[in-house]
Amino acid sequence: MLSESVVWLTIFVLSVFVGIEVISKVSSTLHTPLMSGANAIHGIILLGAIIVTGTTDNTVAVTVGLVAIVLASVNMVGGFVVTDRMLQMFVRKRPAKPADSDQGSTKGGAA
Amino acid sequence: MPVWIQLVFLACGVCFILALKGLSGPKTARNGNLLGAGAAVVACIVPFFWTDLHLHHVPLILAAILVGTVGGVYGARTVQMTQMPQMVALFNGVGGGAAALVALLELNSVIDAGGHDSWFNLAATAFTIVVGSVSFAGSLITFAKLQDLMTSRPVVFPGLPVIFGGALVGAVVLAVLLVNDPRMWVGIVLGLLGLLIGVLLVLPVGGADVPIVISMLNAFTGLTVAAGGYVLSNVLLLIAGTLVGASGTFLTLLMAGAMGRSVANILFGALKGGSTLGSGEASDRPVKSVTPEDAAIMLAYADRVIIVPGYGLAVAQAQHTLRELVDVLSARGIEVDYAIHPVAGRMPGHMNVLLAEAQVPYEQLREMDDINGDFKDTDVALVVGANDVVNPAARTTPSAPIYGMPILNADAARQVIFMKRSMRPGFAGIENELLFDQRTSLLFGDAKDSMSKLLNAVKAL
């Protein structure tokens, strides 16, 4: 029988390897969006902030919790939006040969 | 918490893994990011279906989320691409602050419940409070440095290492105290010490090293979220935080490697002596300055031109004029490429973002390793608003802050045209020998202004 702490430790260790593995071959072209995207993901602390705020009745605690919720949602929402803004430009069309036509803009675009 | 909610969290964790994986390639990046965003939204909705959540708090919580969302979207939409690094720093900082507050609240509920908890739980709480505060304060300092609210040069004062060391020891002592006897004041002092440590950690970091520290603080916030997940028994926070902590650490090492530096040297180099303090002053040695007309002749009668774009180009918003110039040169049969240094701009990969914004065709963008051999067969290297990435001091001067950083071999070209606003040194704060080279011509002025004069002069030939 696995003890609870060992289960947590297992998830932690495996996540470390997954985290390193998934970004191990990223090119420097994408370092800025990747950092920003990872930044948005840790904004999930919002979930923790919602739960601690929603389960307490202490007025001071609720106030502090609401501050945490505001901060965490700035982190999460802002992070995803700004990353998307950057990435939008990377998937743009490859400019057409002589003239700038907007047709055929769906394919290509890899840096 | 009901099993179905926990299963939703697990699914969201998997989505985060896929999101991060998507972000590592240009084709899948945008979908990856959207998947992550979707998972985050779902994860934050499900707790509202949980009966333990006090209903009378729900409107307040929703209002707080709305405030944060409006603020986040506003910031993300209005920020200019040139200011991206400080925006990332700011978002990271508020996330770290949120994690520290959540841990303080959890400490509060432990104390309310009689103060009994496992030592490991309390240690994780202390960790989250301290490191979250470090990330918050450190990120605000990096923001201030990049936004020019304070000097971007290293700030060191006598006694800094002693105070820093003292704060670290104090944090460890208080963390031990907290584990033995959980009290609110200890938690609050821990948070304050974390803020102090964050400020002192980032102050001595200057110039081009700041973005590396942003990446490191990003990893720190990830780890605090993971520790927070352990404290709150929330597997999604554990997975997401660990993912970001691990990948962020890896990314930090990768970036430091691209600059030829160790992370320890970036963080503590300035403390060891004046070596990373650049002069920051302009020299009065003679340089050869040219008019746009002369520069136009050099370009128009070349066979091969390589353009080295830098942050100065993007700040002046001259990318579009540059692209026009390249079109005119190409039409004259001149072979033109852009040479992109991996750390050009304010952050690794930042230049690619900036040029992508100006819709410069990808096939003309060539990475450093790919193009460096071509400079010796190049008639003119046109350096626009870049400085450190072509500074031969990276090869020749061991005391220079950028020593060891791979650079673009612009100095191998037959002629170099430098478009610069003034003789002031670049981001790293050191002088560039290349400016004083016989083959180098300087075209002084605002990049946008000079670029349009250059364009008109080439057209007139």
Side-chain angles (χ1 to χ4, degrees):
Chain A
M1 188 70 186
L2 285 172
S3 82
E4 203 182 324
S5 317
V6 175
V7 173
W8 284 96
L9 187 64
T10 308
I11 299 172
F12 175 75
V13 172
L14 293 181
S15 301
V16 168
F17 279 94
V18 172
I20 293 172
E21 191 59 35
V22 290
I23 72 148
S24 57
K25 286 177 200 83
V26 57
S27 83
S28 62
T29 306
L30 282 173
H31 279 174
T32 295
L34 180 68
M35 198 201 292
S36 174
N39 189 351
I41 288 176
H42 70 49
I44 195 64
I45 188 64
L46 174 59
L47 172 60
I50 291 172
I51 292 172
V52 289
T53 311
T55 50
T56 182
D57 263 330
N58 179 326
T59 318
V60 179
V62 171
T63 313
V64 174
L66 291 174
V67 173
I69 291 176
V70 172
L71 295 181
S73 34
V74 168
N75 179 196
M76 194 178 93
V77 179
F80 280 119
V81 173
V82 90
T83 308
D84 188 58
R85 248 187 86 194
M86 277 191 264
L87 292 172
Q88 245 175 324
M89 302 179 312
F90 280 93
V91 292
R92 187 167 293 157
K93 63 191 173 271
R94 185 165 290 176
K97 294 285 146 49
D100 244 327
S101 92
D102 275 338
Q103 291 303 311
S105 63
T106 44
K107 58 183 168 212
Chain B
M1 197 164 267
V3 173
W4 73 268
I5 290 187
Q6 298 190 38
L7 288 176
V8 172
F9 286 163
L10 175 62
C12 293
V14 172
C15 289
F16 283 154
I17 294 172
L18 296 174
L20 213 49
K21 177 136 187 78
L23 278 164
S24 62
K27 277 181 199 153
T28 51
R30 195 171 177 208
N31 287 336
N33 184 56
L34 293 176
L35 179 67
V41 171
V42 170
C44 290
I45 288 175
V46 286
F48 291 102
F49 296 95
W50 179 37
T51 44
D52 281 16
L53 212 63
H54 300 342
L55 278 178
H56 55 282
H57 286 161
V58 169
L60 282 174
I61 293 175
L62 290 176
I65 294 176
L66 185 68
V67 170
T69 302
V70 169
V73 170
Y74 177 78
R77 284 284 178 82
T78 52
V79 64
Q80 288 178 4
M81 284 298 153
T82 47
Q83 298 172 325
M84 205 46 83
Q86 50 265 51
M87 198 75 219
V88 173
L90 196 61
F91 286 155
N92 177 52
V94 293
L101 292 180
V102 168
L104 277 173
L105 290 175
E106 189 55 23
L107 176 64
N108 184 52
S109 57
V110 167
I111 293 169
D112 278 353
H116 297 295
D117 204 351
S118 77
W119 72 269
F120 196 82
N121 236 352
L122 288 166
T125 307
F127 174 85
T128 309
I129 295 172
V130 175
V131 182
S133 309
V134 168
S135 192
F136 177 73
S139 298
L140 290 188
I141 299 290
T142 55
F143 175 82
K145 285 191 177 217
L146 291 170
Q147 191 68 24
D148 284 332
L149 298 175
M150 63 177 286
T151 173
S152 66
R153 293 158 47 67
V155 177
V156 188
F157 53 86
L160 188 146
V162 178
I163 304 174
F164 184 71
L168 279 182
V169 172
V172 172
V173 170
L174 284 175
V176 172
L177 200 64
L178 188 82
V179 169
N180 282 318
D181 181 19
R183 289 194 187 274
M184 206 55 210
W185 71 266
V186 181
I188 292 171
V189 176
L190 267 179
L192 294 175
L193 274 180
L195 295 177
L196 180 65
I197 295 170
V199 171
L200 296 180
L201 182 70
V202 180
L203 276 183
V205 179
D209 291 339
V210 174
I212 310 285
V213 174
I214 296 177
S215 177
M216 189 187 74
L217 293 174
N218 207 2
F220 278 10
T221 308
L223 290 178
T224 62
V225 172
Y230 180 82
V231 173
L232 298 174
S233 296
N234 188 308
V235 74
L236 179 56
L237 295 194
L238 179 72
I239 296 176
T242 310
L243 274 180
V244 177
S247 61
T249 306
F250 189 77
L251 192 60
T252 307
L253 297 174
L254 216 63
M255 287 178 177
M259 299 186 65
R261 308 274 304 277
S262 75
V263 174
N265 185 257
I266 286 168
L267 285 177
F268 304 116
L271 298 181
K272 280 188 296 197
S275 70
T276 69
L277 288 160
S279 74
E281 280 160 24
S283 164
D284 51 5
R285 283 196 284 164
V287 291
K288 190 167 72 182
S289 127
V290 290
T291 62
E293 288 72 24
D294 293 334
I297 292 170
M298 289 160 71
L299 287 173
Y301 293 98
D303 290 322
R304 176 117 174 74
V305 172
I306 295 181
I307 304 201
V308 181
Y311 182 71
L313 168 83
V315 168
Q317 289 291 309
Q319 315 89 303
H320 299 275
T321 321
L322 172 64
R323 198 187 147 199
E324 224 181 307
L325 175 70
V326 171
D327 288 345
V328 173
L329 292 176
S330 303
R332 291 178 69 105
I334 303 164
E335 199 184 331
V336 190
D337 280 306
Y338 296 81
I340 310 296
H341 191 279
V343 301
R346 279 289 186 267
M347 199 186 250
H350 193 200
M351 201 67 226
N352 304 72
V353 174
L354 297 171
L355 288 176
E357 189 194 15
Q359 300 190 41
V360 172
Y362 294 116
E363 46 270 41
Q364 287 176 355
L365 301 184
R366 295 183 48 198
E367 296 201 11
M368 181 172 65
D369 295 337
D370 176 40
I371 201 165
N372 251 349
D374 293 4
F375 276 103
K376 61 180 189 325
D377 306 315
T378 298
D379 299 303
V380 183
L382 177 63
V383 183
V384 195
N387 193 358
D388 299 329
V389 297
V390 293
N391 192 340
R395 289 191 215 111
T396 56
T397 316
S399 64
I402 57 170
Y403 183 69
M405 180 173 91
I407 57 163
L408 290 164
N409 299 334
D411 53 341
R414 287 179 202 113
Q415 285 182 304
V416 181
I417 302 177
F418 244 106
M419 294 179 70
K420 268 180 85 64
R421 186 186 289 275
S422 70
M423 284 301 287
R424 271 189 57 208
F427 201 33
I430 47 164
E431 210 163 59
N432 191 345
E433 276 305 316
L434 187 54
L435 293 171
F436 308 99
D437 194 291
Q438 278 298 311
R439 293 164 299 157
T440 303
S441 312
L442 279 108
L443 181 53
F444 284 111
D446 171 74
K448 186 165 191 177
D449 187 44
S450 299
M451 189 62 79
S452 34
K453 283 183 187 154
L454 190 57
L455 174 64
N456 289 334
V458 170
K459 277 181 179 165
L461 283 170

mmCIF file of all heavy atoms in Angstrom, chain B residues 260-301:
data_model
loop_
_atom_site.group_PDB
_atom_site.id
_atom_site.type_symbol
_atom_site.label_atom_id
_atom_site.label_comp_id
_atom_site.label_asym_id
_atom_site.label_seq_id
_atom_site.Cartn_x
_atom_site.Cartn_y
_atom_site.Cartn_z
ATOM 1 N N GLY B 260 26.397 32.018 -23.116
ATOM 2 C CA GLY B 260 27.717 31.588 -22.699
ATOM 3 C C GLY B 260 28.003 31.874 -21.238
ATOM 4 O O GLY B 260 29.146 32.132 -20.868
ATOM 5 N N ARG B 261 26.979 31.872 -20.412
ATOM 6 C CA ARG B 261 27.159 32.207 -18.999
ATOM 7 C C ARG B 261 26.562 31.116 -18.124
ATOM 8 O O ARG B 261 25.703 30.360 -18.551
ATOM 9 C CB ARG B 261 26.407 33.510 -18.670
ATOM 10 C CG ARG B 261 26.708 34.669 -19.559
ATOM 11 C CD ARG B 261 27.917 35.436 -19.091
ATOM 12 N NE ARG B 261 27.768 35.874 -17.715
ATOM 13 C CZ ARG B 261 27.109 36.966 -17.352
ATOM 14 N NH1 ARG B 261 26.516 37.694 -18.254
ATOM 15 N NH2 ARG B 261 27.031 37.313 -16.087
ATOM 16 N N SER B 262 27.008 31.080 -16.863
ATOM 17 C CA SER B 262 26.348 30.194 -15.908
ATOM 18 C C SER B 262 25.336 31.015 -15.129
ATOM 19 O O SER B 262 25.461 32.237 -15.014
ATOM 20 C CB SER B 262 27.370 29.585 -14.945
ATOM 21 O OG SER B 262 27.782 30.554 -14.011
ATOM 22 N N VAL B 263 24.313 30.346 -14.617
ATOM 23 C CA VAL B 263 23.276 31.056 -13.875
ATOM 24 C C VAL B 263 23.881 31.715 -12.628
ATOM 25 O O VAL B 263 23.548 32.849 -12.281
ATOM 26 C CB VAL B 263 22.128 30.104 -13.493
ATOM 27 C CG1 VAL B 263 21.124 30.813 -12.610
ATOM 28 C CG2 VAL B 263 21.439 29.584 -14.749
ATOM 29 N N ALA B 264 24.823 31.009 -11.981
ATOM 30 C CA ALA B 264 25.457 31.571 -10.787
ATOM 31 C C ALA B 264 26.192 32.859 -11.130
ATOM 32 O O ALA B 264 26.131 33.850 -10.402
ATOM 33 C CB ALA B 264 26.427 30.556 -10.181
ATOM 34 N N ASN B 265 26.854 32.857 -12.285
ATOM 35 C CA ASN B 265 27.582 34.049 -12.709
ATOM 36 C C ASN B 265 26.618 35.204 -13.002
ATOM 37 O O ASN B 265 26.895 36.359 -12.686
ATOM 38 C CB ASN B 265 28.402 33.707 -13.959
ATOM 39 C CG ASN B 265 29.272 34.865 -14.380
ATOM 40 O OD1 ASN B 265 28.954 35.560 -15.330
ATOM 41 N ND2 ASN B 265 30.348 35.096 -13.653
ATOM 42 N N ILE B 266 25.481 34.887 -13.595
ATOM 43 C CA ILE B 266 24.475 35.912 -13.895
ATOM 44 C C ILE B 266 23.949 36.527 -12.606
ATOM 45 O O ILE B 266 23.805 37.744 -12.477
ATOM 46 C CB ILE B 266 23.323 35.289 -14.716
ATOM 47 C CG1 ILE B 266 23.786 35.049 -16.146
ATOM 48 C CG2 ILE B 266 22.089 36.182 -14.685
ATOM 49 C CD1 ILE B 266 22.863 34.191 -16.963
ATOM 50 N N LEU B 267 23.670 35.669 -11.609
ATOM 51 C CA LEU B 267 23.082 36.159 -10.366
ATOM 52 C C LEU B 267 24.090 36.869 -9.477
ATOM 53 O O LEU B 267 23.808 37.919 -8.916
ATOM 54 C CB LEU B 267 22.474 34.992 -9.582
ATOM 55 C CG LEU B 267 21.167 34.433 -10.100
ATOM 56 C CD1 LEU B 267 20.745 33.242 -9.260
ATOM 57 C CD2 LEU B 267 20.091 35.504 -10.079
ATOM 58 N N PHE B 268 25.265 36.264 -9.355
ATOM 59 C CA PHE B 268 26.181 36.761 -8.332
ATOM 60 C C PHE B 268 27.453 37.366 -8.901
ATOM 61 O O PHE B 268 28.331 37.775 -8.161
ATOM 62 C CB PHE B 268 26.523 35.630 -7.348
ATOM 63 C CG PHE B 268 25.288 35.032 -6.731
ATOM 64 C CD1 PHE B 268 24.952 33.710 -6.957
ATOM 65 C CD2 PHE B 268 24.449 35.819 -5.951
ATOM 66 C CE1 PHE B 268 23.803 33.162 -6.399
ATOM 67 C CE2 PHE B 268 23.299 35.274 -5.398
ATOM 68 C CZ PHE B 268 22.973 33.945 -5.620
ATOM 69 N N GLY B 269 27.544 37.435 -10.245
ATOM 70 C CA GLY B 269 28.740 37.980 -10.870
ATOM 71 C C GLY B 269 29.069 39.378 -10.366
ATOM 72 O O GLY B 269 30.219 39.683 -10.059
ATOM 73 N N ALA B 270 28.037 40.223 -10.235
ATOM 74 C CA ALA B 270 28.283 41.615 -9.851
ATOM 75 C C ALA B 270 28.781 41.716 -8.419
ATOM 76 O O ALA B 270 29.441 42.684 -8.055
ATOM 77 C CB ALA B 270 27.007 42.428 -10.013
ATOM 78 N N LEU B 271 28.468 40.720 -7.602
ATOM 79 C CA LEU B 271 28.881 40.790 -6.205
ATOM 80 C C LEU B 271 30.371 40.527 -6.041
ATOM 81 O O LEU B 271 30.987 40.964 -5.083
ATOM 82 C CB LEU B 271 28.100 39.765 -5.369
ATOM 83 C CG LEU B 271 26.589 39.960 -5.325
ATOM 84 C CD1 LEU B 271 25.953 38.897 -4.458
ATOM 85 C CD2 LEU B 271 26.246 41.346 -4.795
ATOM 86 N N LYS B 272 30.922 39.808 -7.026
ATOM 87 C CA LYS B 272 32.321 39.406 -6.876
ATOM 88 C C LYS B 272 33.295 40.520 -7.230
ATOM 89 O O LYS B 272 34.468 40.404 -7.053
ATOM 90 C CB LYS B 272 32.604 38.179 -7.760
ATOM 91 C CG LYS B 272 32.120 36.892 -7.107
ATOM 92 C CD LYS B 272 32.569 35.669 -7.891
ATOM 93 C CE LYS B 272 31.963 35.627 -9.271
ATOM 94 N NZ LYS B 272 32.026 34.354 -9.930
ATOM 95 N N GLY B 273 32.798 41.583 -7.750
ATOM 96 C CA GLY B 273 33.682 42.677 -8.127
ATOM 97 C C GLY B 273 33.067 43.462 -9.251
ATOM 98 O O GLY B 273 31.918 43.242 -9.611
ATOM 99 N N GLY B 274 33.822 44.361 -9.816
ATOM 100 C CA GLY B 274 33.270 45.263 -10.820
ATOM 101 C C GLY B 274 33.132 44.653 -12.194
ATOM 102 O O GLY B 274 32.798 45.355 -13.133
ATOM 103 N N SER B 275 33.375 43.344 -12.348
ATOM 104 C CA SER B 275 33.540 42.803 -13.683
ATOM 105 C C SER B 275 32.305 42.943 -14.568
ATOM 106 O O SER B 275 32.421 43.165 -15.760
ATOM 107 C CB SER B 275 33.941 41.336 -13.605
ATOM 108 O OG SER B 275 32.860 40.566 -13.152
ATOM 109 N N THR B 276 31.116 42.834 -14.016
ATOM 110 C CA THR B 276 29.952 42.936 -14.891
ATOM 111 C C THR B 276 29.418 44.367 -14.963
ATOM 112 O O THR B 276 28.422 44.621 -15.600
ATOM 113 C CB THR B 276 28.808 42.015 -14.458
ATOM 114 O OG1 THR B 276 28.296 42.516 -13.230
ATOM 115 C CG2 THR B 276 29.262 40.595 -14.279
ATOM 116 N N LEU B 277 30.098 45.283 -14.293
ATOM 117 C CA LEU B 277 29.683 46.673 -14.389
ATOM 118 C C LEU B 277 30.316 47.281 -15.628
ATOM 119 O O LEU B 277 31.503 47.580 -15.634
ATOM 120 C CB LEU B 277 30.140 47.445 -13.154
ATOM 121 C CG LEU B 277 29.402 47.148 -11.850
ATOM 122 C CD1 LEU B 277 30.233 47.586 -10.664
ATOM 123 C CD2 LEU B 277 28.073 47.863 -11.832
ATOM 124 N N GLY B 278 29.524 47.488 -16.668
ATOM 125 C CA GLY B 278 30.064 48.117 -17.856
ATOM 126 C C GLY B 278 30.305 49.589 -17.588
ATOM 127 O O GLY B 278 29.885 50.131 -16.571
ATOM 128 N N SER B 279 30.986 50.220 -18.503
ATOM 129 C CA SER B 279 31.306 51.632 -18.283
ATOM 130 C C SER B 279 30.042 52.488 -18.367
ATOM 131 O O SER B 279 29.888 53.440 -17.621
ATOM 132 C CB SER B 279 32.304 52.106 -19.320
ATOM 133 O OG SER B 279 31.659 52.251 -20.566
ATOM 134 N N GLY B 280 29.131 52.123 -19.292
ATOM 135 C CA GLY B 280 27.896 52.881 -19.432
ATOM 136 C C GLY B 280 28.111 54.271 -19.994
ATOM 137 O O GLY B 280 27.194 55.062 -20.087
ATOM 138 N N GLU B 281 29.335 54.583 -20.363
ATOM 139 C CA GLU B 281 29.613 55.927 -20.862
ATOM 140 C C GLU B 281 30.084 55.890 -22.309
ATOM 141 O O GLU B 281 30.657 54.916 -22.761
ATOM 142 C CB GLU B 281 30.711 56.577 -20.011
ATOM 143 C CG GLU B 281 30.182 57.133 -18.708
ATOM 144 C CD GLU B 281 31.282 57.309 -17.697
ATOM 145 O OE1 GLU B 281 32.443 57.438 -18.118
ATOM 146 O OE2 GLU B 281 30.969 57.293 -16.488
ATOM 147 N N ALA B 282 29.848 56.982 -23.003
ATOM 148 C CA ALA B 282 30.278 57.067 -24.388
ATOM 149 C C ALA B 282 31.745 57.447 -24.446
ATOM 150 O O ALA B 282 32.234 58.201 -23.620
ATOM 151 C CB ALA B 282 29.436 58.101 -25.111
ATOM 152 N N SER B 283 32.413 56.888 -25.429
ATOM 153 C CA SER B 283 33.820 57.203 -25.591
ATOM 154 C C SER B 283 33.962 58.381 -26.556
ATOM 155 O O SER B 283 33.066 58.674 -27.335
ATOM 156 C CB SER B 283 34.521 55.973 -26.145
ATOM 157 O OG SER B 283 35.769 56.335 -26.659
ATOM 158 N N ASP B 284 35.111 59.077 -26.482
ATOM 159 C CA ASP B 284 35.294 60.173 -27.445
ATOM 160 C C ASP B 284 36.356 59.827 -28.486
ATOM 161 O O ASP B 284 36.922 60.693 -29.127
ATOM 162 C CB ASP B 284 35.629 61.487 -26.723
ATOM 163 C CG ASP B 284 36.783 61.312 -25.749
ATOM 164 O OD1 ASP B 284 37.349 60.196 -25.723
ATOM 165 O OD2 ASP B 284 37.097 62.279 -25.035
ATOM 166 N N ARG B 285 36.608 58.527 -28.653
ATOM 167 C CA ARG B 285 37.548 58.123 -29.692
ATOM 168 C C ARG B 285 36.937 58.412 -31.069
ATOM 169 O O ARG B 285 35.721 58.408 -31.230
ATOM 170 C CB ARG B 285 37.841 56.627 -29.570
ATOM 171 C CG ARG B 285 38.810 56.328 -28.441
ATOM 172 C CD ARG B 285 39.371 54.937 -28.585
ATOM 173 N NE ARG B 285 38.407 53.929 -28.196
ATOM 174 C CZ ARG B 285 38.529 52.637 -28.512
ATOM 175 N NH1 ARG B 285 39.536 52.224 -29.242
ATOM 176 N NH2 ARG B 285 37.634 51.768 -28.104
ATOM 177 N N PRO B 286 37.794 58.657 -32.085
ATOM 178 C CA PRO B 286 37.246 59.017 -33.399
ATOM 179 C C PRO B 286 36.552 57.837 -34.081
ATOM 180 O O PRO B 286 37.023 56.695 -33.986
ATOM 181 C CB PRO B 286 38.493 59.449 -34.184
ATOM 182 C CG PRO B 286 39.631 58.784 -33.500
ATOM 183 C CD PRO B 286 39.261 58.656 -32.058
ATOM 184 N N VAL B 287 35.436 58.122 -34.723
ATOM 185 C CA VAL B 287 34.751 57.112 -35.525
ATOM 186 C C VAL B 287 34.473 57.719 -36.890
ATOM 187 O O VAL B 287 34.531 58.935 -37.067
ATOM 188 C CB VAL B 287 33.418 56.679 -34.879
ATOM 189 C CG1 VAL B 287 33.657 55.894 -33.619
ATOM 190 C CG2 VAL B 287 32.522 57.872 -34.635
ATOM 191 N N LYS B 288 34.172 56.835 -37.856
ATOM 192 C CA LYS B 288 33.893 57.319 -39.208
ATOM 193 C C LYS B 288 32.382 57.400 -39.391
ATOM 194 O O LYS B 288 31.690 56.389 -39.319
ATOM 195 C CB LYS B 288 34.501 56.345 -40.217
ATOM 196 C CG LYS B 288 34.479 56.859 -41.641
ATOM 197 C CD LYS B 288 35.361 56.010 -42.544
ATOM 198 C CE LYS B 288 34.736 54.652 -42.805
ATOM 199 N NZ LYS B 288 35.535 53.762 -43.626
ATOM 200 N N SER B 289 31.890 58.620 -39.574
ATOM 201 C CA SER B 289 30.453 58.745 -39.729
ATOM 202 C C SER B 289 30.133 59.035 -41.198
ATOM 203 O O SER B 289 30.923 59.641 -41.914
ATOM 204 C CB SER B 289 29.952 59.838 -38.777
ATOM 205 O OG SER B 289 29.195 60.781 -39.445
ATOM 206 N N VAL B 290 29.001 58.514 -41.670
ATOM 207 C CA VAL B 290 28.633 58.696 -43.087
ATOM 208 C C VAL B 290 27.243 59.302 -43.200
ATOM 209 O O VAL B 290 26.460 59.269 -42.256
ATOM 210 C CB VAL B 290 28.630 57.361 -43.875
ATOM 211 C CG1 VAL B 290 30.022 56.843 -44.063
ATOM 212 C CG2 VAL B 290 27.721 56.348 -43.203
ATOM 213 N N THR B 291 26.932 59.820 -44.360
ATOM 214 C CA THR B 291 25.589 60.332 -44.630
ATOM 215 C C THR B 291 24.743 59.188 -45.189
ATOM 216 O O THR B 291 25.285 58.182 -45.661
ATOM 217 C CB THR B 291 25.637 61.439 -45.688
ATOM 218 O OG1 THR B 291 26.147 60.864 -46.900
ATOM 219 C CG2 THR B 291 26.521 62.593 -45.252
ATOM 220 N N PRO B 292 23.429 59.315 -45.140
ATOM 221 C CA PRO B 292 22.575 58.277 -45.730
ATOM 222 C C PRO B 292 22.914 58.042 -47.200
ATOM 223 O O PRO B 292 22.844 56.901 -47.671
ATOM 224 C CB PRO B 292 21.174 58.861 -45.582
ATOM 225 C CG PRO B 292 21.263 59.808 -44.442
ATOM 226 C CD PRO B 292 22.650 60.371 -44.476
ATOM 227 N N GLU B 293 23.325 59.091 -47.925
ATOM 228 C CA GLU B 293 23.636 58.950 -49.359
ATOM 229 C C GLU B 293 24.854 58.040 -49.559
ATOM 230 O O GLU B 293 24.838 57.159 -50.421
ATOM 231 C CB GLU B 293 23.891 60.318 -50.000
ATOM 232 C CG GLU B 293 22.644 61.184 -50.175
ATOM 233 C CD GLU B 293 22.111 61.754 -48.863
ATOM 234 O OE1 GLU B 293 22.914 61.872 -47.895
ATOM 235 O OE2 GLU B 293 20.904 62.053 -48.786
ATOM 236 N N ASP B 294 25.896 58.246 -48.728
ATOM 237 C CA ASP B 294 27.078 57.380 -48.828
ATOM 238 C C ASP B 294 26.710 55.935 -48.519
ATOM 239 O O ASP B 294 27.115 55.005 -49.220
ATOM 240 C CB ASP B 294 28.151 57.827 -47.816
ATOM 241 C CG ASP B 294 28.715 59.197 -48.162
ATOM 242 O OD1 ASP B 294 28.662 59.545 -49.352
ATOM 243 O OD2 ASP B 294 29.174 59.903 -47.243
ATOM 244 N N ALA B 295 25.942 55.781 -47.457
ATOM 245 C CA ALA B 295 25.547 54.426 -47.052
ATOM 246 C C ALA B 295 24.732 53.769 -48.154
ATOM 247 O O ALA B 295 24.876 52.573 -48.427
ATOM 248 C CB ALA B 295 24.754 54.481 -45.750
ATOM 249 N N ALA B 296 23.869 54.565 -48.812
ATOM 250 C CA ALA B 296 23.038 54.031 -49.887
ATOM 251 C C ALA B 296 23.899 53.506 -51.026
ATOM 252 O O ALA B 296 23.618 52.446 -51.596
ATOM 253 C CB ALA B 296 22.089 55.122 -50.404
ATOM 254 N N ILE B 297 24.984 54.240 -51.346
ATOM 255 C CA ILE B 297 25.873 53.795 -52.435
ATOM 256 C C ILE B 297 26.540 52.470 -52.048
ATOM 257 O O ILE B 297 26.607 51.536 -52.845
ATOM 258 C CB ILE B 297 26.923 54.880 -52.738
ATOM 259 C CG1 ILE B 297 26.209 56.099 -53.351
ATOM 260 C CG2 ILE B 297 28.004 54.348 -53.669
ATOM 261 C CD1 ILE B 297 27.079 57.319 -53.484
ATOM 262 N N MET B 298 26.995 52.391 -50.774
ATOM 263 C CA MET B 298 27.630 51.147 -50.332
ATOM 264 C C MET B 298 26.673 49.964 -50.476
ATOM 265 O O MET B 298 27.059 48.882 -50.918
ATOM 266 C CB MET B 298 28.062 51.270 -48.860
ATOM 267 C CG MET B 298 29.240 52.209 -48.639
ATOM 268 S SD MET B 298 29.348 52.789 -46.928
ATOM 269 C CE MET B 298 29.855 51.300 -46.121
ATOM 270 N N LEU B 299 25.423 50.185 -50.118
ATOM 271 C CA LEU B 299 24.445 49.095 -50.165
ATOM 272 C C LEU B 299 24.060 48.759 -51.610
ATOM 273 O O LEU B 299 24.033 47.591 -51.999
ATOM 274 C CB LEU B 299 23.177 49.482 -49.395
ATOM 275 C CG LEU B 299 23.273 49.498 -47.879
ATOM 276 C CD1 LEU B 299 21.992 50.069 -47.277
ATOM 277 C CD2 LEU B 299 23.507 48.082 -47.347
ATOM 278 N N ALA B 300 23.803 49.796 -52.396
ATOM 279 C CA ALA B 300 23.226 49.573 -53.727
ATOM 280 C C ALA B 300 24.217 48.923 -54.683
ATOM 281 O O ALA B 300 23.816 48.306 -55.654
ATOM 282 C CB ALA B 300 22.724 50.893 -54.303
ATOM 283 N N TYR B 301 25.531 49.076 -54.413
ATOM 284 C CA TYR B 301 26.498 48.458 -55.309
ATOM 285 C C TYR B 301 27.155 47.229 -54.688
ATOM 286 O O TYR B 301 28.211 46.783 -55.144
ATOM 287 C CB TYR B 301 27.528 49.501 -55.756
ATOM 288 C CG TYR B 301 26.871 50.555 -56.629
ATOM 289 C CD1 TYR B 301 26.475 51.780 -56.103
ATOM 290 C CD2 TYR B 301 26.566 50.277 -57.973
ATOM 291 C CE1 TYR B 301 25.819 52.718 -56.885
ATOM 292 C CE2 TYR B 301 25.921 51.209 -58.759
ATOM 293 C CZ TYR B 301 25.552 52.434 -58.213
ATOM 294 O OH TYR B 301 24.889 53.341 -58.994
#
